[in-house]
Amino acid sequence: MIELKKVTRRFGDSVAVDRINLTIETGEVCVLVGSSGCGKSTTLRMINRLLPSSEGEILVDGEDVTSMNPQQLRLNMGYVIQGTGLFPHWTVARNIAMVPRLLKWPKERIDARVDELMTLLDLDPAAHAHKYPQQLSGGQAQRVGVARALAADPNILLMDEPFGALDAITRESLQQEMLRIQQQVRKTTVFVTHDIDEALKLATRIAVMDQGRIIQHDTPENILRRPASEFVENLVGKQDRGLKLMSLRPVRDLMDRHQSPKPGAAGAEGVKEDDNVRLALSVMLWQDLPEMAVFNAQGQESGVITRERIIQGGA
Ligand SMILES: Nc1ncnc2c1ncn2[C@@H]1O[C@H](COP(=O)(O)OP(=O)(O)OP(=O)(O)O)[C@@H](O)[C@H]1O
């Protein structure tokens, strides 16, 4: 658990972060969102002590970070930044192995870990381990950045606009990867973005910041349904809320289940239980279908979802 208590950071006379209180529970993904300059990165960098706070307390599992050795603290906090910060003269494998090497893990353990992480991040070790960062695409480099942050299995992951420089398709695929990885490894994560859609997609809770303050800290659903101010309402997009709420809802919530799953026919049209209902509706509208098959994780047809049901209960 990470707790920020009345934390302030000044730069000269200006206040970048203004007496914020924030609790991030173990295993949750807290997304800090807000416009440029509102204090998101400064907040993140105070947690791993890249920046000292001017006032207030930051506790990690009850312990004040200022009482911890900063190197030790950072070894337990993976840090991913935009543009990756990979060392250009080191191979992918060496970049990922950076922290385990600092921790003096035996070579076999490091090699096995690099392999495991590359596989987790959908990078073929045989094809990429010996490349240099400039030989990778932006999306691959960002995956290496995430693998490096996870290498020594830290409890906490700090991510500062990690997907900000990527094109929309690569960004979407890394967001999906992140959701999948988070289900497997469940790190306490603080994620900075200025993209509200990214925040809604990835967060268990969102902290909306404006001018150094947290103006709402709540679940994506509550941020959409009950924005605390006009600022938040504008941030989430007043007119678009219905569709955004649909994006938060998995198909499994609104589907009609078959009594028992049927074998899925090869190439059959449908959506997955984990897909969101906005996607299901979009496919049905595009293909002019009143209903569509739903498949479970095993590829069996587990039920159907209808257009009508989505319209009635979608948002
Ligand atoms: N090293 C610094 N020296 C002086 N002012 C700084 C420094 N770092 C940040 N600031 C100021 O503090 C405020 C908050 O900056 P911060 O980088 O935390 O914002 P942000 O929300 O992360 O913005 P962005 O999305 O643009 O990265 C800004 O006004 C910025 O100019």
PDB file of all heavy atoms in Angstrom, residues 9-12 14-17 32-45 51 82 160-161 192-194 209 211-212, ligand 1:
ATOM      1  N   ARG A   9       4.866  19.741  -3.154  1.00  0.00           N
ATOM      2  CA  ARG A   9       6.171  19.949  -3.775  1.00  0.00           C
ATOM      3  C   ARG A   9       6.184  21.344  -4.411  1.00  0.00           C
ATOM      4  O   ARG A   9       5.300  21.670  -5.204  1.00  0.00           O
ATOM      5  CB  ARG A   9       6.425  18.883  -4.839  1.00  0.00           C
ATOM      6  CG  ARG A   9       7.624  19.154  -5.712  1.00  0.00           C
ATOM      7  CD  ARG A   9       8.948  19.010  -4.991  1.00  0.00           C
ATOM      8  NE  ARG A   9       9.975  19.784  -5.666  1.00  0.00           N
ATOM      9  CZ  ARG A   9      11.290  19.595  -5.505  1.00  0.00           C
ATOM     10  NH1 ARG A   9      11.749  18.685  -4.675  1.00  0.00           N
ATOM     11  NH2 ARG A   9      12.139  20.348  -6.151  1.00  0.00           N
ATOM     12  N   ARG A  10       7.154  22.110  -3.999  1.00  0.00           N
ATOM     13  CA  ARG A  10       7.311  23.442  -4.599  1.00  0.00           C
ATOM     14  C   ARG A  10       8.551  23.462  -5.464  1.00  0.00           C
ATOM     15  O   ARG A  10       9.534  22.788  -5.168  1.00  0.00           O
ATOM     16  CB  ARG A  10       7.486  24.498  -3.496  1.00  0.00           C
ATOM     17  CG  ARG A  10       6.249  24.709  -2.678  1.00  0.00           C
ATOM     18  CD  ARG A  10       6.390  25.888  -1.711  1.00  0.00           C
ATOM     19  NE  ARG A  10       5.529  25.618  -0.573  1.00  0.00           N
ATOM     20  CZ  ARG A  10       5.895  24.985   0.525  1.00  0.00           C
ATOM     21  NH1 ARG A  10       7.156  24.613   0.678  1.00  0.00           N
ATOM     22  NH2 ARG A  10       5.036  24.736   1.485  1.00  0.00           N
ATOM     23  N   PHE A  11       8.501  24.247  -6.519  1.00  0.00           N
ATOM     24  CA  PHE A  11       9.703  24.578  -7.282  1.00  0.00           C
ATOM     25  C   PHE A  11       9.827  26.093  -7.157  1.00  0.00           C
ATOM     26  O   PHE A  11       9.021  26.820  -7.753  1.00  0.00           O
ATOM     27  CB  PHE A  11       9.573  24.173  -8.750  1.00  0.00           C
ATOM     28  CG  PHE A  11       9.539  22.675  -8.953  1.00  0.00           C
ATOM     29  CD1 PHE A  11       8.356  22.030  -9.263  1.00  0.00           C
ATOM     30  CD2 PHE A  11      10.710  21.918  -8.843  1.00  0.00           C
ATOM     31  CE1 PHE A  11       8.326  20.644  -9.458  1.00  0.00           C
ATOM     32  CE2 PHE A  11      10.684  20.537  -9.042  1.00  0.00           C
ATOM     33  CZ  PHE A  11       9.490  19.909  -9.342  1.00  0.00           C
ATOM     34  N   GLY A  12      10.780  26.552  -6.370  1.00  0.00           N
ATOM     35  CA  GLY A  12      10.875  27.993  -6.102  1.00  0.00           C
ATOM     36  C   GLY A  12       9.582  28.447  -5.460  1.00  0.00           C
ATOM     37  O   GLY A  12       9.118  27.855  -4.478  1.00  0.00           O
ATOM     38  N   SER A  14       6.647  28.405  -7.049  1.00  0.00           N
ATOM     39  CA  SER A  14       5.427  27.789  -7.581  1.00  0.00           C
ATOM     40  C   SER A  14       5.182  26.427  -6.934  1.00  0.00           C
ATOM     41  O   SER A  14       6.120  25.684  -6.619  1.00  0.00           O
ATOM     42  CB  SER A  14       5.490  27.700  -9.112  1.00  0.00           C
ATOM     43  OG  SER A  14       6.413  26.718  -9.458  1.00  0.00           O
ATOM     44  N   VAL A  15       3.896  26.142  -6.760  1.00  0.00           N
ATOM     45  CA  VAL A  15       3.502  24.890  -6.108  1.00  0.00           C
ATOM     46  C   VAL A  15       3.076  23.901  -7.187  1.00  0.00           C
ATOM     47  O   VAL A  15       2.074  24.109  -7.866  1.00  0.00           O
ATOM     48  CB  VAL A  15       2.321  25.140  -5.138  1.00  0.00           C
ATOM     49  CG1 VAL A  15       1.936  23.857  -4.415  1.00  0.00           C
ATOM     50  CG2 VAL A  15       2.685  26.216  -4.136  1.00  0.00           C
ATOM     51  N   ALA A  16       3.862  22.821  -7.358  1.00  0.00           N
ATOM     52  CA  ALA A  16       3.543  21.840  -8.400  1.00  0.00           C
ATOM     53  C   ALA A  16       2.547  20.816  -7.873  1.00  0.00           C
ATOM     54  O   ALA A  16       1.669  20.343  -8.603  1.00  0.00           O
ATOM     55  CB  ALA A  16       4.813  21.145  -8.868  1.00  0.00           C
ATOM     56  N   VAL A  17       2.693  20.443  -6.602  1.00  0.00           N
ATOM     57  CA  VAL A  17       1.776  19.489  -5.963  1.00  0.00           C
ATOM     58  C   VAL A  17       1.377  20.096  -4.623  1.00  0.00           C
ATOM     59  O   VAL A  17       2.234  20.528  -3.845  1.00  0.00           O
ATOM     60  CB  VAL A  17       2.464  18.114  -5.771  1.00  0.00           C
ATOM     61  CG1 VAL A  17       1.600  17.175  -4.947  1.00  0.00           C
ATOM     62  CG2 VAL A  17       2.780  17.482  -7.131  1.00  0.00           C
ATOM     63  N   LEU A  32      -3.203   8.426 -12.431  1.00  0.00           N
ATOM     64  CA  LEU A  32      -3.245   9.876 -12.236  1.00  0.00           C
ATOM     65  C   LEU A  32      -3.495  10.499 -13.596  1.00  0.00           C
ATOM     66  O   LEU A  32      -2.724  10.278 -14.533  1.00  0.00           O
ATOM     67  CB  LEU A  32      -1.911  10.402 -11.701  1.00  0.00           C
ATOM     68  CG  LEU A  32      -1.348   9.780 -10.417  1.00  0.00           C
ATOM     69  CD1 LEU A  32      -0.023  10.451 -10.042  1.00  0.00           C
ATOM     70  CD2 LEU A  32      -2.342   9.930  -9.274  1.00  0.00           C
ATOM     71  N   VAL A  33      -4.579  11.252 -13.691  1.00  0.00           N
ATOM     72  CA  VAL A  33      -4.923  11.829 -14.983  1.00  0.00           C
ATOM     73  C   VAL A  33      -5.182  13.327 -14.808  1.00  0.00           C
ATOM     74  O   VAL A  33      -5.614  13.767 -13.734  1.00  0.00           O
ATOM     75  CB  VAL A  33      -6.142  11.087 -15.608  1.00  0.00           C
ATOM     76  CG1 VAL A  33      -7.408  11.319 -14.829  1.00  0.00           C
ATOM     77  CG2 VAL A  33      -6.351  11.444 -17.063  1.00  0.00           C
ATOM     78  N   GLY A  34      -4.891  14.097 -15.829  1.00  0.00           N
ATOM     79  CA  GLY A  34      -5.125  15.538 -15.755  1.00  0.00           C
ATOM     80  C   GLY A  34      -4.310  16.215 -16.835  1.00  0.00           C
ATOM     81  O   GLY A  34      -3.468  15.592 -17.482  1.00  0.00           O
ATOM     82  N   SER A  35      -4.551  17.511 -17.004  1.00  0.00           N
ATOM     83  CA  SER A  35      -3.898  18.193 -18.120  1.00  0.00           C
ATOM     84  C   SER A  35      -2.416  18.425 -17.840  1.00  0.00           C
ATOM     85  O   SER A  35      -1.949  18.266 -16.707  1.00  0.00           O
ATOM     86  CB  SER A  35      -4.629  19.488 -18.426  1.00  0.00           C
ATOM     87  OG  SER A  35      -4.970  20.104 -17.231  1.00  0.00           O
ATOM     88  N   SER A  36      -1.720  18.822 -18.886  1.00  0.00           N
ATOM     89  CA  SER A  36      -0.275  19.005 -18.809  1.00  0.00           C
ATOM     90  C   SER A  36       0.087  20.010 -17.700  1.00  0.00           C
ATOM     91  O   SER A  36      -0.558  21.049 -17.567  1.00  0.00           O
ATOM     92  CB  SER A  36       0.189  19.523 -20.174  1.00  0.00           C
ATOM     93  OG  SER A  36       1.566  19.640 -20.157  1.00  0.00           O
ATOM     94  N   GLY A  37       1.077  19.630 -16.905  1.00  0.00           N
ATOM     95  CA  GLY A  37       1.555  20.547 -15.864  1.00  0.00           C
ATOM     96  C   GLY A  37       0.765  20.499 -14.567  1.00  0.00           C
ATOM     97  O   GLY A  37       1.019  21.291 -13.653  1.00  0.00           O
ATOM     98  N   CYS A  38      -0.184  19.565 -14.427  1.00  0.00           N
ATOM     99  CA  CYS A  38      -1.017  19.561 -13.219  1.00  0.00           C
ATOM    100  C   CYS A  38      -0.334  18.862 -12.049  1.00  0.00           C
ATOM    101  O   CYS A  38      -0.860  18.845 -10.936  1.00  0.00           O
ATOM    102  CB  CYS A  38      -2.380  18.924 -13.491  1.00  0.00           C
ATOM    103  SG  CYS A  38      -2.288  17.165 -13.800  1.00  0.00           S
ATOM    104  N   GLY A  39       0.837  18.262 -12.266  1.00  0.00           N
ATOM    105  CA  GLY A  39       1.587  17.696 -11.146  1.00  0.00           C
ATOM    106  C   GLY A  39       1.645  16.179 -11.101  1.00  0.00           C
ATOM    107  O   GLY A  39       2.106  15.603 -10.110  1.00  0.00           O
ATOM    108  N   LYS A  40       1.242  15.514 -12.175  1.00  0.00           N
ATOM    109  CA  LYS A  40       1.193  14.046 -12.170  1.00  0.00           C
ATOM    110  C   LYS A  40       2.593  13.443 -12.023  1.00  0.00           C
ATOM    111  O   LYS A  40       2.838  12.611 -11.148  1.00  0.00           O
ATOM    112  CB  LYS A  40       0.552  13.516 -13.477  1.00  0.00           C
ATOM    113  CG  LYS A  40      -0.806  14.099 -13.787  1.00  0.00           C
ATOM    114  CD  LYS A  40      -1.382  13.565 -15.093  1.00  0.00           C
ATOM    115  CE  LYS A  40      -0.622  13.911 -16.344  1.00  0.00           C
ATOM    116  NZ  LYS A  40      -0.644  15.324 -16.750  1.00  0.00           N
ATOM    117  N   SER A  41       3.505  13.852 -12.923  1.00  0.00           N
ATOM    118  CA  SER A  41       4.853  13.250 -12.898  1.00  0.00           C
ATOM    119  C   SER A  41       5.577  13.598 -11.602  1.00  0.00           C
ATOM    120  O   SER A  41       6.300  12.759 -11.059  1.00  0.00           O
ATOM    121  CB  SER A  41       5.700  13.750 -14.061  1.00  0.00           C
ATOM    122  OG  SER A  41       5.094  13.399 -15.257  1.00  0.00           O
ATOM    123  N   THR A  42       5.378  14.807 -11.139  1.00  0.00           N
ATOM    124  CA  THR A  42       6.024  15.205  -9.885  1.00  0.00           C
ATOM    125  C   THR A  42       5.557  14.285  -8.751  1.00  0.00           C
ATOM    126  O   THR A  42       6.360  13.816  -7.944  1.00  0.00           O
ATOM    127  CB  THR A  42       5.696  16.688  -9.573  1.00  0.00           C
ATOM    128  OG1 THR A  42       6.120  17.465 -10.683  1.00  0.00           O
ATOM    129  CG2 THR A  42       6.375  17.159  -8.318  1.00  0.00           C
ATOM    130  N   THR A  43       4.261  14.000  -8.727  1.00  0.00           N
ATOM    131  CA  THR A  43       3.721  13.101  -7.691  1.00  0.00           C
ATOM    132  C   THR A  43       4.391  11.731  -7.782  1.00  0.00           C
ATOM    133  O   THR A  43       4.862  11.179  -6.783  1.00  0.00           O
ATOM    134  CB  THR A  43       2.185  12.957  -7.865  1.00  0.00           C
ATOM    135  OG1 THR A  43       1.608  14.256  -7.786  1.00  0.00           O
ATOM    136  CG2 THR A  43       1.585  12.052  -6.810  1.00  0.00           C
ATOM    137  N   LEU A  44       4.456  11.211  -9.005  1.00  0.00           N
ATOM    138  CA  LEU A  44       5.041   9.880  -9.199  1.00  0.00           C
ATOM    139  C   LEU A  44       6.505   9.860  -8.736  1.00  0.00           C
ATOM    140  O   LEU A  44       6.945   8.933  -8.050  1.00  0.00           O
ATOM    141  CB  LEU A  44       4.965   9.535 -10.685  1.00  0.00           C
ATOM    142  CG  LEU A  44       5.133   8.079 -11.038  1.00  0.00           C
ATOM    143  CD1 LEU A  44       3.869   7.324 -10.640  1.00  0.00           C
ATOM    144  CD2 LEU A  44       5.355   7.905 -12.535  1.00  0.00           C
ATOM    145  N   ARG A  45       7.225  10.897  -9.108  1.00  0.00           N
ATOM    146  CA  ARG A  45       8.662  10.914  -8.822  1.00  0.00           C
ATOM    147  C   ARG A  45       8.966  11.170  -7.351  1.00  0.00           C
ATOM    148  O   ARG A  45      10.087  10.935  -6.901  1.00  0.00           O
ATOM    149  CB  ARG A  45       9.348  11.946  -9.721  1.00  0.00           C
ATOM    150  CG  ARG A  45       9.089  11.618 -11.189  1.00  0.00           C
ATOM    151  CD  ARG A  45       9.621  12.663 -12.113  1.00  0.00           C
ATOM    152  NE  ARG A  45      10.956  12.304 -12.524  1.00  0.00           N
ATOM    153  CZ  ARG A  45      11.939  13.161 -12.696  1.00  0.00           C
ATOM    154  NH1 ARG A  45      11.755  14.429 -12.476  1.00  0.00           N
ATOM    155  NH2 ARG A  45      13.109  12.744 -13.080  1.00  0.00           N
ATOM    156  N   LEU A  51      12.442  12.753  -6.700  1.00  0.00           N
ATOM    157  CA  LEU A  51      12.299  14.135  -6.238  1.00  0.00           C
ATOM    158  C   LEU A  51      11.931  14.100  -4.759  1.00  0.00           C
ATOM    159  O   LEU A  51      11.079  13.307  -4.365  1.00  0.00           O
ATOM    160  CB  LEU A  51      11.122  14.799  -6.958  1.00  0.00           C
ATOM    161  CG  LEU A  51      11.298  15.404  -8.327  1.00  0.00           C
ATOM    162  CD1 LEU A  51       9.946  15.895  -8.827  1.00  0.00           C
ATOM    163  CD2 LEU A  51      12.292  16.569  -8.274  1.00  0.00           C
ATOM    164  N   GLN A  82       8.056   7.295 -20.592  1.00  0.00           N
ATOM    165  CA  GLN A  82       7.846   7.452 -22.026  1.00  0.00           C
ATOM    166  C   GLN A  82       9.210   7.466 -22.714  1.00  0.00           C
ATOM    167  O   GLN A  82      10.147   8.065 -22.193  1.00  0.00           O
ATOM    168  CB  GLN A  82       7.129   8.779 -22.270  1.00  0.00           C
ATOM    169  CG  GLN A  82       6.673   8.928 -23.681  1.00  0.00           C
ATOM    170  CD  GLN A  82       5.991  10.268 -23.922  1.00  0.00           C
ATOM    171  OE1 GLN A  82       6.375  10.991 -24.804  1.00  0.00           O
ATOM    172  NE2 GLN A  82       4.968  10.586 -23.150  1.00  0.00           N
ATOM    173  N   ASP A 160       5.110   6.300 -16.061  1.00  0.00           N
ATOM    174  CA  ASP A 160       4.880   7.703 -16.403  1.00  0.00           C
ATOM    175  C   ASP A 160       4.647   7.843 -17.902  1.00  0.00           C
ATOM    176  O   ASP A 160       5.600   7.811 -18.681  1.00  0.00           O
ATOM    177  CB  ASP A 160       6.094   8.540 -15.954  1.00  0.00           C
ATOM    178  CG  ASP A 160       5.780  10.026 -15.954  1.00  0.00           C
ATOM    179  OD1 ASP A 160       4.718  10.409 -16.496  1.00  0.00           O
ATOM    180  OD2 ASP A 160       6.586  10.803 -15.429  1.00  0.00           O
ATOM    181  N   GLU A 161       3.400   7.968 -18.295  1.00  0.00           N
ATOM    182  CA  GLU A 161       3.012   8.060 -19.719  1.00  0.00           C
ATOM    183  C   GLU A 161       3.736   7.013 -20.553  1.00  0.00           C
ATOM    184  O   GLU A 161       4.327   7.354 -21.586  1.00  0.00           O
ATOM    185  CB  GLU A 161       3.367   9.450 -20.270  1.00  0.00           C
ATOM    186  CG  GLU A 161       2.613  10.564 -19.626  1.00  0.00           C
ATOM    187  CD  GLU A 161       1.508  11.146 -20.509  1.00  0.00           C
ATOM    188  OE1 GLU A 161       1.232  10.574 -21.597  1.00  0.00           O
ATOM    189  OE2 GLU A 161       0.918  12.122 -20.101  1.00  0.00           O
ATOM    190  N   VAL A 192       0.639   7.235 -14.846  1.00  0.00           N
ATOM    191  CA  VAL A 192       0.348   8.622 -15.217  1.00  0.00           C
ATOM    192  C   VAL A 192      -0.039   8.701 -16.687  1.00  0.00           C
ATOM    193  O   VAL A 192       0.635   8.119 -17.545  1.00  0.00           O
ATOM    194  CB  VAL A 192       1.596   9.504 -14.968  1.00  0.00           C
ATOM    195  CG1 VAL A 192       1.491  10.839 -15.700  1.00  0.00           C
ATOM    196  CG2 VAL A 192       1.810   9.735 -13.486  1.00  0.00           C
ATOM    197  N   THR A 193      -1.122   9.420 -16.967  1.00  0.00           N
ATOM    198  CA  THR A 193      -1.487   9.666 -18.362  1.00  0.00           C
ATOM    199  C   THR A 193      -2.283  10.959 -18.446  1.00  0.00           C
ATOM    200  O   THR A 193      -2.838  11.416 -17.443  1.00  0.00           O
ATOM    201  CB  THR A 193      -2.323   8.503 -18.954  1.00  0.00           C
ATOM    202  OG1 THR A 193      -2.604   8.774 -20.323  1.00  0.00           O
ATOM    203  CG2 THR A 193      -3.621   8.277 -18.220  1.00  0.00           C
ATOM    204  N   HIS A 194      -2.334  11.568 -19.645  1.00  0.00           N
ATOM    205  CA  HIS A 194      -3.275  12.678 -19.787  1.00  0.00           C
ATOM    206  C   HIS A 194      -4.474  12.228 -20.625  1.00  0.00           C
ATOM    207  O   HIS A 194      -5.349  13.016 -20.936  1.00  0.00           O
ATOM    208  CB  HIS A 194      -2.586  13.915 -20.375  1.00  0.00           C
ATOM    209  CG  HIS A 194      -1.989  13.682 -21.705  1.00  0.00           C
ATOM    210  ND1 HIS A 194      -0.649  13.457 -21.882  1.00  0.00           N
ATOM    211  CD2 HIS A 194      -2.558  13.585 -22.914  1.00  0.00           C
ATOM    212  CE1 HIS A 194      -0.423  13.242 -23.158  1.00  0.00           C
ATOM    213  NE2 HIS A 194      -1.563  13.297 -23.801  1.00  0.00           N
ATOM    214  N   MET A 209      -6.333  15.056 -11.384  1.00  0.00           N
ATOM    215  CA  MET A 209      -5.566  16.169 -10.823  1.00  0.00           C
ATOM    216  C   MET A 209      -5.793  17.448 -11.624  1.00  0.00           C
ATOM    217  O   MET A 209      -5.988  17.406 -12.839  1.00  0.00           O
ATOM    218  CB  MET A 209      -4.065  15.843 -10.815  1.00  0.00           C
ATOM    219  CG  MET A 209      -3.702  14.738  -9.844  1.00  0.00           C
ATOM    220  SD  MET A 209      -1.903  14.523  -9.673  1.00  0.00           S
ATOM    221  CE  MET A 209      -1.443  15.981  -8.752  1.00  0.00           C
ATOM    222  N   GLN A 211      -4.104  21.526 -11.304  1.00  0.00           N
ATOM    223  CA  GLN A 211      -3.295  22.529 -10.602  1.00  0.00           C
ATOM    224  C   GLN A 211      -2.744  22.027  -9.269  1.00  0.00           C
ATOM    225  O   GLN A 211      -2.875  22.686  -8.243  1.00  0.00           O
ATOM    226  CB  GLN A 211      -4.112  23.791 -10.395  1.00  0.00           C
ATOM    227  CG  GLN A 211      -4.521  24.403 -11.722  1.00  0.00           C
ATOM    228  CD  GLN A 211      -5.334  25.675 -11.560  1.00  0.00           C
ATOM    229  OE1 GLN A 211      -5.300  26.328 -10.542  1.00  0.00           O
ATOM    230  NE2 GLN A 211      -6.066  26.003 -12.590  1.00  0.00           N
ATOM    231  N   GLY A 212      -2.151  20.849  -9.326  1.00  0.00           N
ATOM    232  CA  GLY A 212      -1.457  20.330  -8.148  1.00  0.00           C
ATOM    233  C   GLY A 212      -2.335  19.669  -7.110  1.00  0.00           C
ATOM    234  O   GLY A 212      -1.852  19.211  -6.078  1.00  0.00           O
TER     235      GLY A 212
HETATM  236  N1  LIG B   1      12.403  20.485 -12.202  1.00  0.00           N
HETATM  237  C1  LIG B   1      11.471  21.421 -12.228  1.00  0.00           C
HETATM  238  N2  LIG B   1      11.766  22.726 -11.997  1.00  0.00           N
HETATM  239  C2  LIG B   1      10.804  23.683 -12.001  1.00  0.00           C
HETATM  240  N3  LIG B   1       9.514  23.441 -12.225  1.00  0.00           N
HETATM  241  C3  LIG B   1       9.146  22.160 -12.454  1.00  0.00           C
HETATM  242  C4  LIG B   1      10.097  21.094 -12.476  1.00  0.00           C
HETATM  243  N4  LIG B   1       9.438  19.928 -12.742  1.00  0.00           N
HETATM  244  C5  LIG B   1       8.144  20.250 -12.882  1.00  0.00           C
HETATM  245  N5  LIG B   1       7.958  21.598 -12.717  1.00  0.00           N
HETATM  246  C6  LIG B   1       6.676  22.311 -12.785  1.00  0.00           C
HETATM  247  O1  LIG B   1       5.763  21.673 -11.921  1.00  0.00           O
HETATM  248  C7  LIG B   1       4.471  21.611 -12.505  1.00  0.00           C
HETATM  249  C8  LIG B   1       3.999  20.163 -12.571  1.00  0.00           C
HETATM  250  O2  LIG B   1       4.818  19.450 -13.508  1.00  0.00           O
HETATM  251  P1  LIG B   1       4.614  17.889 -13.799  1.00  0.00           P
HETATM  252  O3  LIG B   1       5.696  17.469 -14.733  1.00  0.00           O
HETATM  253  O4  LIG B   1       4.466  17.165 -12.536  1.00  0.00           O
HETATM  254  O5  LIG B   1       3.211  17.908 -14.557  1.00  0.00           O
HETATM  255  P2  LIG B   1       2.501  16.762 -15.363  1.00  0.00           P
HETATM  256  O6  LIG B   1       1.079  16.786 -14.912  1.00  0.00           O
HETATM  257  O7  LIG B   1       3.219  15.486 -15.242  1.00  0.00           O
HETATM  258  O8  LIG B   1       2.588  17.328 -16.837  1.00  0.00           O
HETATM  259  P3  LIG B   1       2.860  16.582 -18.241  1.00  0.00           P
HETATM  260  O9  LIG B   1       1.624  15.778 -18.532  1.00  0.00           O
HETATM  261  O10 LIG B   1       3.033  17.725 -19.187  1.00  0.00           O
HETATM  262  O11 LIG B   1       4.087  15.756 -18.062  1.00  0.00           O
HETATM  263  C9  LIG B   1       4.576  22.287 -13.858  1.00  0.00           C
HETATM  264  O12 LIG B   1       4.151  23.605 -13.719  1.00  0.00           O
HETATM  265  C10 LIG B   1       6.056  22.220 -14.161  1.00  0.00           C
HETATM  266  O13 LIG B   1       6.445  23.303 -14.962  1.00  0.00           O
END
